């Protein structure tokens, strides 16, 4: 069993290192592998510094991508408001923010089942809209 785990871990490590070396924009800063055996501490510290640079670069790219998406959503919102389209949001007038949705309207007045006290609604709505009691097996499910 230990041989299998050791083999899998070494293959996973090799794959991660090879993938990092091929996809990193800072791959030219990595020390050559033959340097590992002559100066292992400097090799590992250099590798760690390059990995930190790579992580910072990826984080900056991701933050910029998210910022562009947020700006795009804000531009769309301003466009809809400027052209009077903000009344019907989403596809077919449906929106996840809508407080008048059928699911929110059904559960707005009645509390969700409180397991400890046993109070609340012990029913659920099936796909056809019929309210059915919750079946419990062995008093648990």
């Amino acid at each position: 069993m230990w041989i299998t785990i050791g083999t899998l871990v070494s293959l996973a490590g090799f794959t991660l290192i090879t993938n990092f070396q091929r996809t990193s924009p800072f791959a030219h800063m990595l020390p050559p592998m033959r340097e590992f055996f002559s100066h292992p501490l400097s090799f590992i510290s250099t590798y760690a510094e390059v990995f930190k640079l790579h992580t910072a670069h990826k984080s900056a790219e991701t933050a910029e991508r998210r910022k562009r998406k947020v700006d795009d959503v804000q531009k769309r919102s301003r466009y809809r408001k400027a052209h009077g389209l903000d009344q019907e949001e989403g596809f077919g007038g449906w929106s996840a923010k809508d407080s008048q949705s059928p699911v929110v309207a059904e559960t707005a007045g009645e509390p969700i089942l409180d397991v400890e006290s046993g109070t609340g609604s012990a029913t659920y709505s099936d796909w056809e809209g019929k309210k059915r009691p919750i079946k419990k097996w062995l008093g648990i499910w």
Side-chain angles (χ1 to χ4, degrees), residues 4 12 17 21 24-25 30 43 45-46 57-58 60 68 75 79 85 90 97 101 103-104 107 118 121-123 128 138:
T4 305
I17 290 172
Q21 289 174 344
S24 175
L30 291 172
F43 176 86
S45 65
T46 306
H57 180 260
K58 287 291 182 185
R68 280 195 312 255
K75 286 178 187 176
Y79 177 84
L85 301 173
K97 299 177 191 173
S101 70
V103 175
V104 174
T107 60
S121 174
T123 61
E128 290 126 15
L138 303 174

Side-chain angles (χ1 to χ4, degrees), residues 42-132:
S42 66
F43 176 86
I44 291 172
S45 65
T46 306
Y47 215 90
E49 290 173 12
V50 172
F51 185 74
K52 286 179 186 176
L53 283 173
H54 174 76
T55 305
H57 180 260
K58 287 291 182 185
S59 297
E61 280 182 346
T62 304
E64 180 62 31
R65 194 175 315 121
R66 289 179 181 163
K67 185 178 181 300
R68 280 195 312 255
K69 287 182 181 180
V70 167
D71 290 343
D72 186 43
V73 168
Q74 289 175 347
K75 286 178 187 176
R76 281 191 232 152
S77 175
R78 280 188 249 129
Y79 177 84
R80 282 194 305 264
K81 286 179 183 177
H83 291 88
L85 301 173
D86 59 341
Q87 284 79 23
E88 58 178 73
E89 297 178 12
F91 181 70
W94 180 85
S95 174
K97 299 177 191 173
D98 189 14
S99 63
Q100 300 300 321
S101 70
V103 175
V104 174
E106 280 182 15
T107 60
E110 54 190 60
I112 298 175
L113 182 63
D114 186 10
V115 178
E116 293 164 356
S117 65
T119 61
S121 174
T123 61
Y124 72 95
S125 297
D126 62 0
W127 292 104
E128 290 126 15
K130 298 177 187 173
K131 290 200 173 203
R132 297 186 179 211

